[in-house]
Amino acid sequence: MDSTDEFSPYREDGKLYGFVCVVTGASHPIGQAIIQDMRPPPSSNTTTTAQSTSLPPLPLPPPHKNNPLPHFPPSPAIEHETLALIDEILASFGRLDIWICSPSPFPPPPPSIFSTTTPILHSLFETHALGPFFALKHAPAAMGKLSPQKGGYPNAVRKTQKYGSIITVIGGEGEKGGGVGYEMVRGAVLGVVKGGWGVEGDGGEGNAERDDVPLGRAAKPREIARVVGFLASGFSSYVTGASLVVDGGVSAMGPNIVPI
């Protein structure tokens, strides 16, 4: 479904208004920067759920009477806690729009394969890969819930089309030579991202205009123009020498799964 007409949470100041967003790894400097960069000034009371105790989230509405908000941040690497967090968000706000998996604090893994132990690998995968996997597994259904009427929280907006974004950020350790363990995890996270086209697609509604594109349709010129605008703006100040693919997920389709 083309949601570009309605899904425009950003305003001229580059902040996020009226949308419900989860940011995991909020105690990591990158997670903190994501929250601070996207939300408006505190007076605007934008809703952001931060899974961290070191960076307090903005005020939340009263808990649902039968489903109180958890007292401690849930772990995105534990499936039932991810489900509980989604339930709490839907009970409190009636919608979920954006899920950002940012890095969690973790000591740099050893660069040598010989000093990379099994517990270290397990910790790396739990820290970096399981969160995106469970988000991709469970968040899309919640993102598909509509809210034709504005919610009761500040800056609330209507949601009459199914849409949402799941964003995974992984980096930092690898730039300093994270070693084979980190490279394995980065490959696993990339696999989750590329596998997402089979979950998202056209929402499973069978109304795709094009079977050879995971999003089920061709791009609109303005969708390409918006990416160009991002690259031309100060928001892309640390993007250089990169290839940014905007193809509706075609490049994520391997040769064995391209429809014939």
Side-chain angles (χ1 to χ4, degrees), residues 3-29:
S3 58
T4 55
D5 290 333
E6 185 171 320
F7 186 36
S8 297
Y10 285 99
R11 301 298 184 259
E12 292 181 357
D13 61 0
K15 303 299 183 179
L16 190 66
Y17 287 82
F19 286 68
V20 179
C21 174
V22 171
V23 179
T24 68
S27 59
H28 190 283

Side-chain angles (χ1 to χ4, degrees), residues 99-111:
W99 192 292
I100 301 175
C101 302
S102 64
S104 299
F106 188 84

